[in-house]
């Protein structure tokens, strides 16, 4: 079985996030944007409710929210960056109502299935001809990969992921030989 990979190119991440936005499919856009920008597992993303991310009293997207992870049962606080806030604000104009799931099937009022989430992500990845094996978990891995590439310590990424060891986080980062070569070639010590 092929291992799910992070989406390594920044332009590819932006294209994937914009894919459903350009088609006016805001729910699907939010799924991808939150997946890439929060590092949540798909099972946790699909459980999010509007009241988790939206302040109805002040009619605005929250700066952060708390979630108890389904897998680890650990509570974590997730800060929402500008991209996540923008995507949520767009969707809120059309659908925000208390008690409702954020990523729901409008016919059933329940969360879309993990399989449906996978199909949506795969459809966008295939339409954009992304090279690596992309799945729901790719969004989570993409967060860590780009955080690492921007200089965030793997130890901090490990904490965000709630991983039990740095070895697990290293596998998530999907370090390639090109990444290693960039380090070798990027170091320049004083030459004689």
């Amino acid at each position: 079985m092929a291992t799910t990979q992070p989406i390594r190119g920044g332009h590819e991440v932006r294209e994937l996030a914009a894919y459903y936005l350009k088609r006016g499919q805001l729910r699907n856009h939010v799924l991808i944007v939150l997946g890439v920008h929060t590092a949540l597992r798909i099972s946790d993303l699909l459980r999010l409710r509007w009241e988790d991310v939206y302040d109805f009293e002040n009619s605005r997207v929250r700066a952060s929210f708390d979630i108890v992870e389904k897998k680890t049962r650990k509570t974590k606080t997730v800060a929402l960056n500008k991209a996540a806030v923008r995507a949520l604000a767009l969707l809120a104009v059309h659908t925000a109502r208390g008690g409702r799931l954020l990523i729901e099937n409008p016919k059933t009022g329940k969360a879309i299935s993990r399989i449906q989430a996978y199909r949506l992500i795969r459809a966008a990845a295939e339409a954009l001809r992304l090279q690596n094996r992309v799945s729901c978990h790719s969004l989570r891995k993409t967060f860590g990969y780009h955080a690492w590439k921007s200089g965030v310590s793997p130890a901090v990424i490990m904490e965000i992921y709630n991983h039990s060891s740095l070895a697990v986080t290293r596998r998530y980062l999907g370090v390639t030989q090109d990444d290693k070569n960039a380090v070798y070639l990027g170091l320049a010590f004083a030459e004689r």
Side-chain angles (χ1 to χ4, degrees), residues 12-65:
E12 291 175 326
V13 176
R14 288 186 294 278
E15 286 176 4
L16 186 66
Y19 181 79
Y20 286 114
L21 179 61
K22 290 176 183 176
R23 287 156 181 75
Q25 297 174 10
L26 299 178
R27 178 204 67 187
N28 301 343
H29 171 67
V30 165
L31 172 69
I32 291 171
V33 170
L34 287 184
V36 169
H37 292 279
T38 65
L40 291 174
R41 290 176 185 87
I42 195 67
S43 58
D44 293 324
L45 273 175
L46 296 178
R47 291 184 311 120
L48 287 176
R49 297 189 162 282
W50 272 106
E51 55 264 19
D52 296 329
V53 299
Y54 197 78
D55 177 357
F56 287 97
E57 189 173 312
N58 296 304
S59 300
R60 64 181 180 160
V61 175
R62 297 182 190 281
S64 65
F65 64 92

Side-chain angles (χ1 to χ4, degrees), residues 36-127:
V36 169
H37 292 279
T38 65
L40 291 174
R41 290 176 185 87
I42 195 67
S43 58
D44 293 324
L45 273 175
L46 296 178
R47 291 184 311 120
L48 287 176
R49 297 189 162 282
W50 272 106
E51 55 264 19
D52 296 329
V53 299
Y54 197 78
D55 177 357
F56 287 97
E57 189 173 312
N58 296 304
S59 300
R60 64 181 180 160
V61 175
R62 297 182 190 281
S64 65
F65 64 92
D66 293 331
I67 186 169
V68 176
E69 291 182 320
K70 187 175 180 178
K71 182 176 180 178
T72 65
R73 292 193 161 93
K74 293 179 183 176
T75 300
K76 73 188 289 183
T77 299
V78 178
L80 294 170
N81 66 12
K82 289 179 185 178
V85 168
R86 264 194 309 270
L88 286 165
L90 281 172
L91 185 59
V93 169
H94 300 284
T95 60
R97 289 193 288 261
R100 293 190 60 181
L101 291 163
L102 191 61
I103 311 293
E104 75 176 18
N105 178 331
K107 293 178 184 174
T108 66
K110 296 179 181 178
I112 65 171
S113 69
R114 291 170 56 117
I115 293 168
Q116 181 62 19
Y118 169 78
R119 288 179 185 143
L120 292 168
I121 293 163
R122 281 296 304 153
E126 287 174 6

Side-chain angles (χ1 to χ4, degrees), residues 86-192:
R86 264 194 309 270
L88 286 165
L90 281 172
L91 185 59
V93 169
H94 300 284
T95 60
R97 289 193 288 261
R100 293 190 60 181
L101 291 163
L102 191 61
I103 311 293
E104 75 176 18
N105 178 331
K107 293 178 184 174
T108 66
K110 296 179 181 178
I112 65 171
S113 69
R114 291 170 56 117
I115 293 168
Q116 181 62 19
Y118 169 78
R119 288 179 185 143
L120 292 168
I121 293 163
R122 281 296 304 153
E126 287 174 6
L128 296 168
R129 295 188 174 103
L130 298 183
Q131 297 300 311
N132 289 332
R133 171 137 166 70
V134 177
S135 70
C136 297
H137 216 56
S138 295
L139 304 181
R140 180 171 159 86
K141 288 183 174 188
T142 297
F143 172 91
Y145 179 80
H146 287 277
W148 171 67
K149 292 294 277 187
S150 69
V152 176
S153 164
V156 173
I157 297 168
M158 180 182 111
E159 288 292 319
I160 290 171
Y161 278 150
N162 271 331
H163 283 162
S164 58
S165 75
L166 198 52
V168 175
T169 303
R170 261 197 320 270
R171 282 197 314 270
Y172 261 59
L173 297 180
V175 178
T176 64
Q177 187 60 48
D178 288 342
D179 295 318
K180 295 176 200 177
N181 291 349
V183 174
Y184 288 128
L185 299 173
L187 288 179
F189 297 103
E191 296 180 26
R192 289 184 177 204

